[in-house]
Amino acid sequence: MEAGNPLLDDYVLGLAERERPKVCFVPTASGDADHYVVRFYRTFSTRCDTSHVSLFRRDRGDGAVEGDLEAHLLRQDVIYVGGGSVVSLLGAWRAHGLDRVLKNAWRRGVVLCGLSAGSLCWFQEAVTAFHGAPTVVRGLGLLPHSNCVHYDGEPERREEYRRFVGDGVRPGYAADDGAALHFVGRDLRRVVSSRPRARAFRVEPRDGEVVEQPLPVSYLGDAQRDLAVA
Amino acid sequence: MTVRESLRGEPQILAMGGGGFTMEPDNPALDDFVLSLVRVPEPRILFLPTASGDPTAQITSFYARFARRASATHLSLFRRHGSARSLADIVLEQDVIYVGGGSMRNLLAIWRAHELDELLVEAWRRGIVLAGLSAGAMCWFAGGVTRSGGPLEVIEGLGLLPGSFSVHADGEPERLPVWLAALRSGELPGGWAADDGVGLLFHGTRMTRVVTSRPGTAALRVDVVGGELVRHRIEPELLGAGPGGPGAQPVPDDIRELRELRQAMRRG
C-alpha cells in the first residue's frame, strides 16, 4: 500500500493465483485506524474481494467482518496485516484467539503478508522500537528466524539488531523499506522490492562476529525505464 | 520527594458509567470533578485511549477539554510519538490518568503486552488519580460486562477495587440483565451499576461519593444475599450545582499564562 507504487501489492496478489482473490485486511497494529482501512479498500477493492477485521469495534461492525472471524479468515486467499505496534498487535490477537486462527490459515495455505509490525509478527523473534530503545519481542513463531524492518530508515535499529543477534537472538533477516521477504514454508524463497535500491540482509553470527550478508533482491519494476528516468 | 509527590493523597479512582469529554462534549462537570481530586495547582493529566485503538477524534476531544485546564498529554500504544522515554517515566510523573472507553478485552490485553497494567497499579498506590469511563472504568474492578467480542459477556478486570461494575445502565439497558445474571450465578461478585453521567469515587478500596453530570440519573448497588439479588438505589450528588462545586475556583494569573504559553507551543 505504498502511495503510487503498486509493485509489492501486485506481487502479493500474484501469489494467490486467482482471477479475483479474496483479501482481508487486519489493521490491529494501528488500532484499526480508519484512514488505514480506507487506504486498503482504495488499493484493493477494484480487483479483489475485500474485507477487514476490526478487533476494536466487534460490537458495532462498521463494515468489518462480524460473527465467526475464524471461518471468514480461513476462506481468504490473502490476509494482509498492517503496520503499527507489534506489541499491541500480539496482545490484541492473543486476547481474541486470532494468533491461533492465523497459524491455522497459514497451515492451510492462505498467503499471509504484511509490513512493519505486520512482518515482525510472523517470526520467532522480532526487533521493535516503539517506546524507548529497541527491544526483542516474541512473535507468532511461524518463521523460526528473527526479523528487523525499516533497516534503512532507522540506524539505531540496525545497530541494536546486530547487537541482539550477537547476544543470542536467533539469526534472521533484515529488510529496508520497499524490500519484501517471501517465505515458502519456513524458508526464504526470494527477496523482491518495490524500490530499485531497497536491500535485505541475512544477519547471523559467524566466527564470533555478527555478519550482515546482502541478499539478492529482484526489483519488481522496470529497471531500464527507472534508470532512463533517473 | 518532589512537591508534586508530597501533594498526592491516598489512592483514588473515579469510575464513570459513561460521560466526560468523549460522551459529553458540552458538559464539563465530570471532567472538572476529576481535576478537583488533585491538589497540585497545574495538574498533569495523561489520556489513555487504548480501548478504542487511539482514535484521533477522542484524542482531539481530550485536548479540547483539558488543554486549558491542565498540563495534558496522551499516550498512544499504536502510533509512535518519537519519545524515547520509558512508559514508567511517562506514567509515574502524572497527577491524573484518564482512561477512555472501547474494548475492555483489547484494553487489558494490550496493557499487559506493554506491562502497563503493573505501572498503573503502581501509579494508583502512589496516589496518582485514576479516572475512566466504560471499559476505562470497569477495568479497575474485579470484573464487568463487555461487548469486546460482539455479544455481551462477563470479563475480568484488574481487581484494584472489590466488586464488579456495570456501565451505561440507562444508555444500554441490555447490559443490566447480563450483569445481574452473572451476579446470581456467582460469576461476578456483587457491585455497582451506573448510568451515563454517574461517577463513583473510591478512596483506597472504599466508595466515598457518587456524583453525576446529569439530573435524574442514579447508581445501583446489588448484592447476592441468600441466593437473592438485593438492590439498593444510590442517589448521586449533582455536580456543578453548588457554589463550592468544581470549576468555581478562579485560576491564578501565572497559571493561566503558563497554560496559554503551552497551548501556543503545541500549536507552534
Side-chain angles (χ1 to χ4, degrees):
Chain A
M1 288 194 265
E2 290 168 276
N5 186 340
L7 293 173
L8 285 175
D9 296 334
D10 290 346
Y11 184 79
V12 167
L13 295 185
L15 300 178
E17 297 175 340
R18 288 284 167 95
E19 179 99 9
R20 196 174 165 82
K22 295 190 192 70
V23 183
C24 185
F25 184 45
V26 183
T28 319
S30 68
D32 298 341
D34 289 338
H35 65 91
Y36 207 10
V37 174
V38 169
R39 180 140 57 103
F40 165 75
Y41 282 104
R42 280 209 187 113
T43 308
F44 289 103
S45 61
T46 51
R47 43 190 182 144
C48 310
D49 288 340
T50 44
S51 58
H52 78 284
V53 164
S54 169
L55 296 185
F56 286 87
R57 301 184 190 96
R58 289 187 72 178
D59 56 329
R60 283 177 284 138
D62 283 358
V65 177
E66 289 182 57
D68 191 343
L69 296 184
E70 177 160 17
H72 179 81
L73 287 169
L74 294 179
R75 276 197 301 270
Q76 301 302 306
D77 298 306
V78 176
I79 295 173
Y80 198 124
V81 178
S85 162
V86 70
V87 176
S88 296
L89 170 89
L90 292 167
W93 278 4
R94 286 175 181 139
H96 291 263
L98 219 58
D99 52 337
R100 185 186 53 78
V101 171
L102 290 168
K103 283 181 191 174
N104 218 346
W106 176 71
R107 279 190 210 103
R108 295 198 193 184
V110 177
V111 175
L112 304 181
C113 84
L115 69 150
S116 195
S119 164
L120 299 173
C121 62
W122 313 117
F123 291 82
Q124 188 81 43
E125 292 174 294
V127 178
T128 177
F130 225 71
H131 293 287
T135 52
V136 176
V137 297
R138 282 179 63 88
L140 297 189
L142 298 179
L143 303 173
H145 320 281
S146 60
N147 183 219
C148 183
V149 294
H150 306 306
Y151 210 52
D152 50 345
E154 296 164 24
E156 199 189 2
R157 276 202 208 217
R158 181 174 175 185
E159 273 168 44
E160 291 293 309
Y161 181 43
R162 293 170 60 163
R163 189 173 65 78
F164 290 141
V165 171
D167 289 349
V169 163
R170 64 183 55 224
Y173 299 93
D176 285 354
D177 290 341
L181 307 161
H182 177 188
F183 289 86
V184 176
R186 294 183 167 83
D187 303 318
L188 184 68
R189 168 69 58 90
R190 209 180 156 196
V191 184
V192 296
S193 82
S194 59
R195 305 178 191 183
R197 274 174 287 276
R199 302 157 309 160
F201 303 91
R202 166 81 184 169
V203 178
E204 61 188 357
R206 205 182 290 160
D207 305 326
E209 264 188 281
V210 175
V211 178
E212 207 177 50
Q213 175 72 40
L215 297 168
V217 179
S218 314
Y219 174 53
L220 296 167
D222 182 342
Q224 291 308 317
R225 192 201 58 202
D226 286 332
L227 281 175
V229 171
Chain B
M1 184 187 274
T2 64
V3 174
R4 166 162 262 110
E5 284 164 356
S6 72
L7 287 172
R8 286 178 185 156
E10 67 177 307
Q12 293 185 83
I13 292 178
L14 181 71
M16 296 177 269
F21 67 92
T22 52
M23 290 181 66
E24 303 175 308
D26 301 320
N27 183 351
L30 275 171
D31 294 333
D32 285 342
F33 183 70
V34 169
L35 291 184
S36 78
L37 300 174
V38 292
R39 286 183 250 170
V40 280
E42 179 71 355
R44 292 180 187 151
I45 182 165
L46 179 73
F47 178 45
L48 295 180
T50 320
S52 289
D54 301 344
T56 311
Q58 268 193 18
I59 294 166
T60 309
S61 316
F62 167 72
Y63 286 110
R65 176 60 52 84
F66 284 105
R68 286 168 178 283
R69 295 169 165 85
S71 173
T73 49
H74 76 281
L75 176 61
S76 174
L77 298 180
F78 297 94
R79 286 177 253 297
R80 304 176 69 179
H81 28 131
S83 166
R85 299 182 66 210
S86 71
L87 291 180
D89 286 349
I90 294 169
V91 165
L92 297 176
E93 70 172 12
Q94 302 300 321
D95 301 302
V96 180
I97 293 168
Y98 195 124
V99 182
S103 163
M104 180 154 156
R105 200 195 290 178
N106 288 1
L107 175 77
L108 292 176
I110 290 162
W111 280 357
R112 285 178 178 134
H114 291 269
E115 295 171 1
L116 189 56
D117 54 331
E118 291 164 24
L119 278 177
L120 292 170
V121 173
E122 180 60 26
W124 177 69
R125 284 207 189 96
R126 293 190 188 187
I128 295 169
V129 173
L130 305 180
L133 70 145
S134 198
M138 291 189 291
C139 62
W140 314 118
F141 291 81
V145 170
T146 181
R147 291 177 186 280
S148 301
L152 285 162
E153 62 187 323
V154 167
I155 185 166
E156 202 178 314
L158 293 177
L160 295 182
L161 300 175
S164 60
F165 190 48
S166 189
V167 295
H168 309 307
D170 53 349
E172 297 179 20
E174 64 278 18
R175 283 177 182 266
L176 214 53
V178 177
W179 179 61
L180 293 173
L183 260 57
R184 204 179 278 119
S185 71
E187 209 178 340
L188 284 176
W192 299 267
D195 285 344
D196 288 332
V198 173
L200 276 58
L201 179 64
F202 290 82
H203 280 88
T205 56
R206 197 166 45 89
M207 197 187 72
T208 50
R209 280 173 83 180
V210 180
V211 297
T212 185
S213 59
R214 306 180 188 186
T217 53
L220 191 65
R221 168 80 211 189
V222 182
D223 289 286
V224 182
V225 181
E228 293 297 314
L229 294 176
V230 179
R231 304 174 191 222
H232 167 62
R233 185 183 156 95
I234 307 170
E235 289 299 330
E237 302 166 41
L238 183 60
L239 291 170
Q249 292 159 347
V251 178
D253 284 347
D254 54 339
I255 298 289
R256 194 163 50 230
E257 200 179 316
L258 180 67
R259 284 176 193 168
E260 280 165 10
L261 193 69
R262 276 227 185 80
Q263 287 255 307
M265 284 168 67
R266 196 168 283 127
R267 280 194 301 268

